[in-house]
Amino acid sequence: MGPSKLLCAFYFSLLSEKVKVWNLEKRDGGNPLCTRIFPAIPGNKPTVVSCLTVHENLNFMAIGFADGSVVLTKGDITRDRHSKTQILHEGSYPVTGLAFRQSGKTTHLFVVTTENIQSYLLSVKDYSHLELDTHGCGLHCSSLSDPSQDLQFIVAGNECVYLYQPDERGPCFAFEGQKLIVHWYRGYLIIVSKDRKTSPKSEFAGNEAQNSDKQVLNIYDLCNKFIAYSSVFDDVVDVLAEWGSLYVLTRDGKIHVLQEKDAQTKLEMLFRKNLFEMAINLAKSHHLDSDGLSEIFRQYGDHLYNKGNHDGAIQQYIRTIGKLEPSYVIRKFLDAQRIHNLTAYLQTLHLQSLANADHTTLLLNCYTKLKDSTKLEEFIKASESEVRFDVETAIKVLRQAGYYSHAVYLAEKHDHHEWYLKIQLEDIKNYQEALHYIGKLPFDQAESNMKRYGKILMHHVPKETTELLKNLCTDYQPTGDSEGPGILEGKKANSEEFIPVFANNSRELKAFLEHMTEVQSDSPQGVYDTLLELRLQNWAHELDEQIKEKLHDEALTLLKSGRFKTVFDKALVLCQMHNFKDGVLYLYEQGKLFQQIMHYHMQNEQYKKVIEVCELYGDQEACLWEQALGYFARKEEDCKEYIAAVLKHIENKNLMPPLLVVQTLAHNSTATLSVIKDYLVNKLQKQSCQIEQDGQRIQKYREETTRIRQEIEELKASPKIFQKTKCSICTSALELPSVHFLCGHSFHQHCFESYSESDSECPTCMPENRKVMDMIRAQEQKRDLHDQFQHQLKCSNDGFSVVADYFGRGVFNKLTLITDLPLGKSATTIEAGLQRELLMHTKRST
């Protein structure tokens, strides 16, 4: 049962006073049920009750008396059996006010008399008490505030209103006038007092001014410190709060109702009077949302701005951050004279992490315009854990304004490596520091930045840059990295990609390339190509003979390393460009370009070298001797010795016809007949021997032809007697049935059928006969190619290629021709018949 449902009343008589408790929720014949009646004064003391209060939980009730005593009832005060009554306080001054204060599990009772104020702690057994002040108040001049004022006990004196905590006195308010009634309602302090001054007009007492002895009702807002309402009444009996309104009961039997205006109406009234501070406090006390508060701050800021109070205006605009568009404020303070106000606003905007890149740019420009380096440093170094601005924008602005050290600090702190290096190299020109910074970066970033800034660094700090590149292209480990080597295994940059970095730094480039070839034998081909070119350049421009010889050996050693097989042409061009003779000859030899070797010696007129080349490579390319003969034949000097050596080899290998040799040497005016005398004599002797051998062979072929013709005539005119006694296949005795051929071979019939591929051919003679028939068919086909060959030879620009093509197809193969034709028969007819007779076999059975 809540306290609003409890009605406490007193019945006064001459002999005693009693407390009656009614339950308003229960009825007894239409009236509230009276649940308890008990004496208010224990022991029937001759005194009267001055005040009474009940705890909101109905477990305490205190009654004050005019003799200064206080009776406390503990327990369920609605039932006789569950409560206990005792005297809590005794004094000499009448008790004028009582109030329970509950804070957590702690319960206090405030007791005020006409001369003092005390508090009792009811949560302990002994009910300890503490005197708070040595002055009191009259009846109805005390009350307990709500939690908005921390449940303080309010005591109204004639000069001041005091607020008390259970253990001390709190603040006081100087409200003049004799206080008659004090009441607390919804955060407002309501005081009815007598005012000796002329009172304000009352909406309840007419329009004429009220003089003394009139009662003034003031409603104070202690939180916001203003008078919410004030009016004059005639003889106020009491002020009651119920149903969301205040009721003022006067002696003439009238009840006046006071209704609180809504928050928006209150604010509008304050706005009209430009009471923005009061409006702000009021809005906060009414727990207005942030959007509503922001609008109040904006209006307040506009008001101050229009009055010229820019400092105050910017403070109000700052309170709108997060709700009001920043551009609304920024546009108002772009004037140079108000730059410090704009700076304050932008600072707060960044502190709340609501700034964009444009705001950052504007703030930094403000700092630079004001030349306030201290504030600038505080801004960029303020937040170590959370960045409240766009870092890249800040770096750009600081760089543009010339604050390089600040820009470098931001770039390094927030890992904007590109900006750090750009400022160090282009603005500060601290190349050593930039190179050291790259050495601390992870592999990928170090690689990309060395590609971008390597040329600049190489120009100013070549030695240190070269060392860093060596590290980057082998086993890179960032400077200061505590992890052991090998943790980044496989992270090696491509050394070939850094060659352009060494432009105009040939010494460092050579050191870098030689280092890479030593530590990485599988370096890219471009590394070896560049190193070869570099060594050839150094060799070509060196004047000191000893150093030149050393450079010569280094270049040749590199060529012989076997790294230029896939780029043979490129290496050859490099050697030719720098006139590196030994390198050119070595590459010619590796590429088996023997003719180029000989032509090289010919160009340099090194006759012995020409002969040596022919002797070394003549077996692989026989044309070298022919070219050597033509070369010496064109020389006007006396080259008899070399010509003789060439002719000797040509004769031994039979490389050229004698007529071609004579024609070749005819161009040399110094070569006499004696030079080729021995060659011609030997050649003629060999040809004579060959002619004699050919004559003998011709005679042999004629005799054989005559014999064959005789055999053919005999076969045609005379019978053939088969006298074979053994089978030509199995060599067993010949038995019937048997098969005989005119060639003289005989076979068992079953042997012949098993091995023969044709019934009309001898199995023994068939392979040889087929070769002959194939030759005959080939000759017949080739006869038709003569006209076609002649036509192509006449129309072709390269007759040699046509002849070579026909040679490959066997057109010019030697054929055996039969001469001495019989009269009346053409050569073609006789030849065809003769071949058929030679190959014809007759199958006969005996």
Side-chain angles (χ1 to χ4, degrees), residues 4 115 307 367 553 556 674 784:
S4 62
E115 297 297 332
K307 289 176 62 178
Y367 284 138
D553 295 341
L556 194 59
S674 62
D784 299 334

Side-chain angles (χ1 to χ4, degrees), residues 129-149:
H129 73 280
L130 176 67
E131 185 175 12
L132 299 177
D133 216 333
T134 57
H135 60 80
C137 66
L139 283 173
H140 309 300
C141 290
S142 64
S143 181
L144 188 71
S145 68
D146 58 19
S148 65
Q149 285 293 329

